């Protein structure tokens, strides 16, 4: 895949996730968008669920502004996106409880430092048996970058880019049941370093990495284009969905009644 559009990865993942909704019978009335992606996700979901109301959350002011600007442009965006309340807040900042019957998060987990805390927050926000759909980057992302940095003796940690099975376990233990995870790999070919850095900024991956020397890390990555040849970069994309569990107060449990057998 070549790079030209700043939002192409968001669009690719949102489109793939939207296609998975064809088997979902549940029709959401209120959808919370966790992560603004230039109105890509909302437009897809609004076409599928024209009666749904939307609320958008993101800790990044520029991302919220970009989504709002798109909704002021085309006729369809103006028609369907005129009433989308936006909230700038971190992913662990409490959301309204039991307020949504679908939560859609397209590549927003990259802004989180504490994934279990985020899943707890999302579970509280969803009504029982409501749906969570999200995309993220997996542990095999940026192998070319980590390999280059290791060769240069530069430490690089990726604490939130974890195995998809670990993400599924987190979901199960933090408010959700029936988690389904799958993964795919994208190979991006960059002819120029500045295009790579633009994508890293939009995707938020670089900000999620931890270095012992970030200045040296940037210089080492820039040097990958010194030969003038394109550089291929791999992203492991992770798709997940799950259903919100019934959450009871501490010390309480559900009581079920069954008809007496004759």
């Amino acid at each position: 895949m070549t790079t030209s559009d700043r939002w192409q990865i968001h669009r690719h993942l949102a489109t793939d996730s939207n296609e998975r909704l064809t088997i979902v019978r549940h029709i959401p009335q209120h959808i919370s968008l966790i992560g603004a992606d230039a109105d890509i996700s909302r437009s897809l979901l609004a076409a599928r669920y024209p009666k749904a109301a939307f609320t958008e959350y993101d800790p990044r002011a520029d991302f919220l502004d970009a989504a709002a600007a798109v909704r002021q442009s085309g006729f369809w965006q103006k028609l369907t996106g005129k009433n989308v309340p936006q909230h700038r807040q971190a992913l662990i900042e409490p959301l309204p409880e039991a307020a949504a019957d679908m939560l859609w998060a397209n590549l927003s987990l990259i802004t989180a430092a504490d994934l279990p805390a985020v899943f707890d927050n999302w579970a509280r926000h969803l009504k029982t048996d409501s749906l969570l759909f999200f995309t993220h980057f997996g542990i095999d992302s940026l192998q070319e970058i980590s390999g280059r940095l290791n060769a240069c003796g530069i430490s690089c940690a990726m604490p939130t880019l974890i195995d998809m099975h670990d993400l599924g376990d987190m979901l199960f233990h933090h408010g959700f049941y029936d988690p389904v995870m799958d993964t795919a790999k994208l190979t991006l070919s960059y002819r120029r370093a500045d295009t790579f850095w633009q994508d890293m900024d939009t995707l938020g991956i670089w900000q999620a990495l931890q270095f012992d020397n970030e200045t040296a890390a940037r210089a080492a990555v820039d040097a990958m284009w010194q030969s003038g040849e394109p550089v291929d970069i791999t992203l492991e994309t992770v798709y997940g969905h799950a259903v919100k569990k019934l959450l009871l107060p501490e010390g309480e449990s559900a009581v079920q009644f069954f008809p007496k057998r004759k």
Side-chain angles (χ1 to χ4, degrees):
M1 179 182 289
T2 57
T3 57
S4 57
D5 174 9
R6 177 186 176 190
W7 300 99
Q8 69 166 337
I9 307 302
H10 288 81
R11 181 174 294 104
H12 175 72
L13 270 63
T15 301
D16 279 356
S17 295
N18 179 57
E19 291 174 354
R20 297 163 193 240
L21 292 174
T22 56
I23 62 172
V24 175
R25 295 184 179 181
H26 173 75
I27 299 178
Q29 301 301 309
H30 192 113
I31 301 174
S32 287
L33 303 169
I34 309 298
D37 58 3
D39 204 47
I40 295 165
S41 290
R42 190 211 58 85
S43 294
L44 290 168
L45 293 170
R48 184 176 295 278
Y49 305 117
K51 295 183 179 180
F54 293 86
T55 306
E56 192 168 55
Y57 300 85
D58 201 299
R60 302 160 293 190
D62 55 331
F63 277 54
L64 292 171
D65 291 344
V70 172
R71 289 194 278 270
Q72 295 300 317
S73 56
F75 173 77
W76 172 250
Q77 287 85 351
K78 289 181 180 179
L79 181 65
T80 64
K82 58 184 178 181
N83 295 313
V84 181
Q86 291 185 319
H87 302 274
R88 184 184 179 187
Q89 64 181 66
L91 268 64
I92 59 171
E93 186 174 337
L95 295 163
E97 291 193 26
D101 42 14
M102 177 179 283
L103 191 154
W104 182 277
N106 186 25
L107 295 181
S108 59
L109 278 174
I110 201 69
T111 67
D114 187 345
L115 296 181
V118 172
F119 291 144
D120 284 335
N121 192 22
W122 290 358
R124 286 190 297 268
H125 182 56
L126 283 168
K127 300 173 184 177
T128 300
D129 291 332
S130 293
L131 299 174
L132 164 67
F133 276 78
F134 73 92
T135 60
H136 189 40
F137 294 115
I139 193 171
D140 290 334
S141 296
L142 302 183
Q143 291 179 332
E144 300 85 355
I145 299 299
S146 59
R148 171 74 176 182
L149 296 180
N150 288 335
C152 295
I154 301 170
S155 172
C156 175
M158 305 178 179
T160 60
L161 305 186
I162 64 176
D163 183 83
M164 69 171 183
H165 299 99
D166 293 332
L167 279 172
D169 289 342
M170 284 184 189
L171 287 170
F172 182 78
H173 292 291
H174 293 274
F176 295 91
Y177 68 90
D178 288 348
V180 177
M181 311 294 301
D182 64 278
T183 184
K185 285 190 177 182
L186 291 176
T187 300
L188 308 177
S189 183
Y190 292 95
R191 293 188 175 276
R192 303 196 321 247
D194 59 344
T195 309
F196 166 79
W197 289 117
Q198 175 184 279
D199 275 1
M200 292 301 98
D201 182 55
T202 302
L203 298 173
I205 299 181
W206 188 262
Q207 296 90 323
L209 306 182
Q210 297 177 356
F211 309 97
D212 57 355
N213 187 334
E214 184 177 358
T215 301
R218 282 184 172 269
V221 172
D222 281 335
M224 296 173 69
W225 280 269
Q226 282 183 344
S227 68
E229 295 297 320
V231 175
D232 290 344
I233 302 295
T234 301
L235 295 176
E236 182 189 15
T237 57
V238 176
Y239 300 83
H241 63 267
V243 184
K244 157 70 181 291
K245 289 180 183 177
L246 172 64
L247 298 181
L248 297 171
E250 186 175 353
E252 294 187 9
S253 59
V255 177
Q256 294 179 303
F257 295 90
F258 299 94
K260 184 178 180 180
R261 291 183 179 181
K262 295 182 179 181

